[in-house]
């Protein structure tokens, strides 16, 4: 729980505040940009919510925060934020909220599909917490967990045990040692079913992989994200743990695929027409080759 005596001085006066435990994961700024900003290495409240809609987003940010760094001075009930997740993104894809400090606040997603289509897929792992687990149960549970790479797996074992679902992950990130049920190898794409294509993208880590859903939504883990500063797709040179050259090659490998949405673990979500996204990806590859 956020502590008022550790409230950051950069917060404006009022109900919502961020305390000094903030790890600068960016979740609150994405979820409630009308209230939270980056003041340099951490987040703070630059404007208190001005209406019920902004207040709702601020409560969602409070709940999603991986370090419980957001609080309210009068200890308001955050139920509306809790009940908001998983929140709809596009078609049958939802953002789980409830990020985990173990994955530095990485975002995870739920694809809700009927049983005959293979059932629900949890993309990377949120924090294992009772309200979220109950909501996911009501939405049909989890039939498969896709784990993009070793950094964003958080409470994967607890989710897998609770929902009795297999996990799929690449051996390059020591999937066998983690007890993963479906371990992939090599660099060739793996078709999971007619809607889901797993594409190995080594670079950020040795075993990183992305997931393409219905040729429309690309779940990118820490491989690729939108940069609001650059106004285009980007990869994180400073957070490449395995090989930038490999990551550049992996990015180039994505060029033949078509998608409208990029849903990353870290970095910003973006949606655009297929052709436009392709151009952004081309620009990203070109830039990576110069870095
Ligand atoms: S969500 Fe929490 S940890 Fe992340 S930037 Fe906001 S206050 Fe900091």
């Amino acid at each position: 729980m956020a502590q008022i005596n550790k409230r950051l001085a950069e917060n404006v006066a009022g109900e919502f505040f961020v305390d000094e435990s903030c790890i600068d994961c960016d979740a609150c700024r994405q979820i409630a940009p009308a209230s939270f900003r980056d003041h340099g290495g951490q987040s703070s409240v630059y404007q208190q919510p001005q209406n019920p809609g902004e207040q709702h987003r601020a409560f969602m940010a409070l709940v999603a925060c991986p370090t419980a760094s957001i609080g309210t001075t009068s200890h308001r009930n955050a139920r509306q934020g809790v009940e908001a997740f998983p929140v709809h993104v596009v078609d049958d894809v939802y953002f789980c909220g409830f990020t985990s400090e173990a994955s530095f606040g990485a975002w995870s997603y739920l694809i809700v599909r009927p049983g005959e289509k293979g059932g629900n897929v949890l993309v990377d792992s949120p924090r294992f917490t009772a309200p979220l687990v109950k909501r996911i149960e009501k939405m049909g549970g989890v039939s498969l967990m896709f784990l993009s790479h070793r950094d964003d797996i958080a409470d994967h074992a607890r989710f897998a045990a609770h929902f009795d679902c297999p996990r799929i992950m690449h051996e390059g990130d020591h999937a066998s040692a983690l007890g993963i049920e479906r371990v992939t190898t090599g660099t060739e794409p793996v078709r999971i079913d007619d809607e889901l294509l797993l594409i190995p993208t080594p670079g950020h880590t040795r075993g990183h992989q992305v997931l393409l859903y219905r040729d429309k939504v690309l779940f990118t883990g820490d491989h690729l994200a939108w940069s609001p500063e650059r106004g285009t797709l980007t990869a994180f040179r400073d957070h490449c743990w395995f090989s930038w050259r490999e990551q550049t090659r992996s990015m180039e490998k994505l060029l033949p695929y078509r998608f409208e949405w990029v849903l990353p673990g870290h970095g910003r979500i973006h949606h655009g027409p297929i052709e436009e996204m392709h151009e952004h990806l081309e620009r990203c590859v070109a830039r990576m080759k110069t870095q």
Side-chain angles (χ1 to χ4, degrees):
M1 188 190 291
Q3 296 179 43
I4 188 71
N5 58 332
K6 294 185 176 168
R7 182 181 182 281
L8 291 169
E10 288 81 0
N11 293 288
V12 294
E15 186 68 39
F16 285 86
F17 67 92
V18 178
D19 78 10
E20 61 188 36
S21 63
C22 168
I23 59 170
D24 197 24
C25 76
D26 189 45
C28 60
R29 305 189 294 260
Q30 280 206 70
I31 295 168
S35 302
F36 297 90
R37 69 172 175 127
D38 178 3
H39 62 256
Q42 281 183 314
S43 287
S44 52
V45 176
Y46 72 94
Q47 176 175 259
Q48 293 294 335
Q50 303 289 300
N51 54 53
E54 289 182 9
Q55 183 170 287
H56 183 70
R57 300 301 296 187
F59 274 119
M60 287 174 69
L62 184 154
V63 167
C65 176
T67 44
S69 305
I70 302 171
T72 51
T73 51
S74 60
H75 305 290
R76 298 270 303 275
N77 190 323
R79 191 169 165 177
Q80 62 174 289
V82 171
E83 291 177 347
F85 293 115
V87 63
H88 184 249
V89 180
V90 56
D91 295 346
D92 43 17
V93 176
Y94 295 75
F95 164 47
C96 293
F98 293 92
T99 70
S100 168
E101 188 173 7
S103 56
F104 200 79
W107 287 31
S108 60
Y109 305 90
L110 183 71
I111 307 173
V112 178
R113 308 192 302 172
E116 59 270 24
K117 280 284 185 186
N120 295 352
V121 181
L122 187 57
V123 178
D124 286 325
S125 174
R127 200 184 328 146
F128 190 89
T129 181
L132 177 64
V133 170
K134 284 198 184 104
R135 285 293 305 275
I136 292 176
E137 280 170 359
K138 281 191 183 145
M139 294 168 84
V142 180
S143 299
L144 177 71
M145 273 190 89
F146 164 81
L147 299 172
S148 64
H149 70 299
R150 66 178 188 223
D151 299 339
D152 293 355
I153 58 178
D155 292 329
H156 69 105
R158 295 182 73 186
F159 276 100
H162 183 86
F163 288 105
D164 192 23
C165 65
R167 294 158 286 179
I168 187 163
M169 187 177 175
H170 199 280
E171 183 59 6
D173 276 9
H174 311 294
S176 301
L178 289 166
I180 301 300
E181 294 77 13
R182 293 176 64 178
V183 177
T184 56
T185 57
T187 56
E188 289 305 308
V190 176
R191 180 149 294 285
I192 298 174
D193 56 38
D194 59 354
E195 295 185 323
L196 294 167
L197 182 70
L198 181 158
I199 308 166
T201 49
H204 172 74
T205 60
R206 189 184 289 271
H208 196 290
Q209 49 194 4
V210 301
L211 184 67
L212 181 61
Y213 178 51
R214 288 185 182 158
D215 294 327
K216 181 172 183 180
V217 180
L218 190 63
F219 297 96
T220 54
D222 291 353
H223 180 67
L224 175 71
W226 182 257
S227 164
E229 295 80 24
R230 288 183 168 146
T232 190
L233 290 171
T234 194
F236 303 109
R237 181 73 180 88
D238 294 344
H239 297 93
C240 174
W241 314 133
F242 172 53
S243 161
W244 186 248
R245 185 179 289 191
E246 278 291 324
Q247 191 167 345
T248 305
R249 263 200 288 269
S250 296
M251 201 66 79
E252 205 160 16
K253 222 172 64 178
L254 292 180
L255 285 171
Y257 298 101
R258 296 292 178 259
F259 54 88
E260 294 175 26
W261 286 83
V262 162
L263 301 190
H266 288 109
R268 297 293 172 104
I269 289 175
H270 192 68
H271 171 240
I274 287 174
E275 299 72 23
E276 208 175 286
M277 294 301 267
H278 182 74
E279 284 168 21
H280 283 302
L281 188 62
E282 281 182 325
R283 245 179 272 165
C284 178
V285 170
R287 196 174 50 253
M288 288 177 81
K289 286 180 175 174
T290 68
Q291 288 178 302

